[in-house]
Amino acid sequence: MSHFDTKTPGRPLVILPGLGCTYHEWYPVIESLKQTFRVISFHRHELMNTTQTGTVAVALQLQELLKTLDVTEPVLLVGHSYGGLCAQQMAHDYPETVRGLVLVDSTSVRLRQLDSLTLPVLDELSTDQVWLDKCRSYAEMTRHALCEAIRPELTHEQRQLPVSVQRELLDFQTDPLLYGEMATAIEQWQNDAVTLERRGRLANLPLIVLGRDKELAVNSGIEEGLPEAELRLLEDTWEQLICEQGDLSTQSELLFVEQASHAIHLDRPDAVLDAVRRIDERAND
């Protein structure tokens, strides 16, 4: 079973990484948080449930993992990207288990809005179907063939992590089971999001919503040769969806993090750490 559990005393905190992402890239955040919290995370594809799928399965996996680890008190949840959608599922399904929530550039329950945009160039690169086809293909490969096919590389930010962590990141990217889990998530996330939207708000759950730097995202895309008009349309819509997440709770706070891409935890770990500490204080009030 793959999970990160410091076994240190302290209030429990769970990190749910994004789709195709690993807790290893949260190393700087975890190293800081474990001074105060008992930090727990896991790789979804290594705990796949055969009777449930999608965000419902992730919430169930987490609930079972907490029982296995003998965590009896409510947890703080940090969810990034797709992990944020799973965190919202957890907060709805097991409200007594969650004492506070931090959404880090989280997938929205209205993610269908992104599919309605007219983005001909961007859509050639990364529609759900493109992702799905790739993941299904990768899931059928051996680890060696997968390594040859994708030639995994680390981002600039990931190369700043310890060498041992870099090795874990590369190994994670070449596990065929990962892509099977990703394909299942992509197949279902539209329906999962609609179901979650119908369930409404999270009452008065302490919540902090972090969003990426829109201008940074636009400029990064322009540098890659992508059309500015499409980038701005995408980023304006993403910003709107992040703003809507600020209405999920009566005790919410919204912050857009300057100089942070979608990977806020790598670009601005200080912003994530600050949000966790503030939500912890608020959940104790």
Side-chain angles (χ1 to χ4, degrees), residues 116-129:
S116 69
L117 303 177
T118 302
L119 306 169
V121 176
L122 297 183
D123 282 348
E124 284 187 10
L125 303 173
S126 60
T127 61
D128 282 5
Q129 192 59 52

Side-chain angles (χ1 to χ4, degrees), residues 124-126 128-141 146 150 179-180 182-183 186:
E124 284 187 10
L125 303 173
S126 60
D128 282 5
Q129 192 59 52
V130 169
W131 273 45
L132 190 56
D133 291 343
K134 284 185 178 180
C135 288
R136 285 173 173 167
S137 173
Y138 294 161
E140 297 298 319
M141 296 181 180
L146 182 55
I150 66 176
Y179 297 94
M182 288 176 66
I186 295 166

Side-chain angles (χ1 to χ4, degrees), residues 138 141 145-153 170 173-175 179:
Y138 294 161
M141 296 181 180
L146 182 55
C147 186
E148 290 294 313
I150 66 176
R151 301 284 181 176
E153 294 183 356
L170 291 170
Q173 293 179 48
T174 56
D175 185 347
Y179 297 94

